[in-house]
Amino acid sequence: MSMKLVITIPAYNEEKTIGAVIREIPGKIAGVGKAEVLVIDDGSTDSTAEAAMREGAKVMRNITNKGLAFSFARGLEEALGMGADIIVNTDADFQYDQSEIPALVKPILEGRADIVLGSRFKGRIEYMPAQKYWGNKAMSFMVRFLTGLAISDAQTGFRAFSRDAALKVNIFSGYTYTQETILEAWEKGLTIIEVPVTFRKRDGPSRLISSIFVYARRAGFTVFETYLNYKPLKVFLSIGAVLIVAGLALGLRVLVHFLNTGLVEPYLPSAILSSMLVIVGLQVSVIGLAAKMLQRVRVTQERLLYEAKRARLDGK
Ligand SMILES: Nc1nc2c(ncn2[C@@H]2O[C@H](COP(=O)(O)OP(=O)(O)O)[C@@H](O)[C@H]2O)c(=O)[nH]1
Ligand SMILES: [Mg+2]
């Protein structure tokens, strides 16, 4: 069986490097019959699209800048429609080394993984500013902490997906897909592995991250929101339990005093606060139950969406 590989490259104002990235893609990849390049030009104001077309890539364009995650999701869907058996995503800024694509797709070809992440921390980093280095470490720790998966680089843009994994991934964030796809793959029971990759120095400023703080806030919120969807009961019950336990602890003093004297005074403020904490704690817990019930709806809908995507995109 001849496998088809589609390499997706989201790009925003990368006219200087996009050509070199495409040229670096190996002509022959073991186990792959046909490879095509798909560039998602996200409303670039330079000649990124023209440079990509000159190298023979297929180019799709967002008229205006829609964000990396939005473009990545569009690219995945288009690649599925192009009949990809495997999809590799890489960046347009020449930081990843495209000669490492064979190593990235190998575990998928061998049926050992659904998603392969190119880990820069397991590989070689030529240069990464300290803020980014530690930011990447911290975000990867958070993803590890939440999922229990042994992931060293949750922000890598160099990854491979099996067709089935790409069909199952639904991205909600417009800004960053990197952590969200990992959490999602984890929830859906897909197998993720890492292979070491090389990360070169970026020539010119980041297109994605103007400020590390803005990135941390937006990515952090995406991670939180995604996790909340997957583990609603755990999150809401934890918060509810803290409130209830605090309320009960506070109420105990009032109760002891009341049993001894028959009076609530002088603990009236404590009594009010205690009952408020318990009531709010119970409400938060009940919201968790409701969220858990919504989760069933989502899971069922995602199964239907998967079938609909297969009906629309398979065998084209
Ligand atoms: N589609 C799209 N791609 C973007 C956008 N911002 C950055 N990119 C691309 O995403 C990749 C990673 O961005 P980069 O600026 O290298 O981020 P960094 O390496 O994390 O600092 C590059 O290929 C960029 O061209 C965007 O707004 N839309
Ligand atoms: Mg980069």
Side-chain angles (χ1 to χ4, degrees), residues 84-98:
D85 298 299
I86 304 179
I87 298 162
V88 163
N89 186 78
T90 191
D91 285 352
D93 58 1
F94 205 65
Q95 286 196 273
Y96 296 107
D97 182 346
Q98 311 313 322

Side-chain angles (χ1 to χ4, degrees), residues 10 12 14 42 65 71 92-93 95 132 202 206-208:
Y12 182 52
E14 305 280 16
D42 194 15
N65 187 249
S71 305
D93 58 1
Q95 286 196 273
K132 273 200 171 169
R202 199 193 213 291
S206 170
R207 304 291 186 272
L208 184 67

Side-chain angles (χ1 to χ4, degrees), residues 101-176:
I101 289 176
L104 211 60
V105 298
K106 196 161 177 262
I108 292 179
L109 288 168
E110 291 173 351
R112 290 191 290 116
D114 300 300
I115 297 179
V116 182
L117 304 178
S119 168
R120 298 165 291 182
F121 293 110
K122 282 186 179 161
R124 196 171 61 83
I125 297 171
E126 202 171 87
Y127 172 78
M128 189 187 283
Q131 270 194 348
K132 273 200 171 169
Y133 184 91
W134 292 109
N136 276 322
K137 287 262 182 198
M139 286 298 280
S140 302
F141 173 82
M142 188 146 100
V143 171
R144 251 193 334 270
F145 174 75
L146 293 175
T147 63
L149 298 173
I151 282 168
S152 63
D153 188 359
Q155 282 66 243
T156 179
F158 201 24
R159 339 176 136 200
F161 298 80
S162 69
R163 179 175 183 85
D164 201 53
L167 280 164
K168 283 180 178 157
V169 162
N170 301 308
I171 292 149
F172 287 87
S173 164
Y175 179 62
T176 172

Side-chain angles (χ1 to χ4, degrees), residues 289-301:
L289 289 173
K292 181 75 186 169
M293 289 157 83
L294 281 175
Q295 190 181 30
R296 279 199 191 193
V297 179
R298 176 182 57 78
V299 170
T300 311
Q301 298 232 323

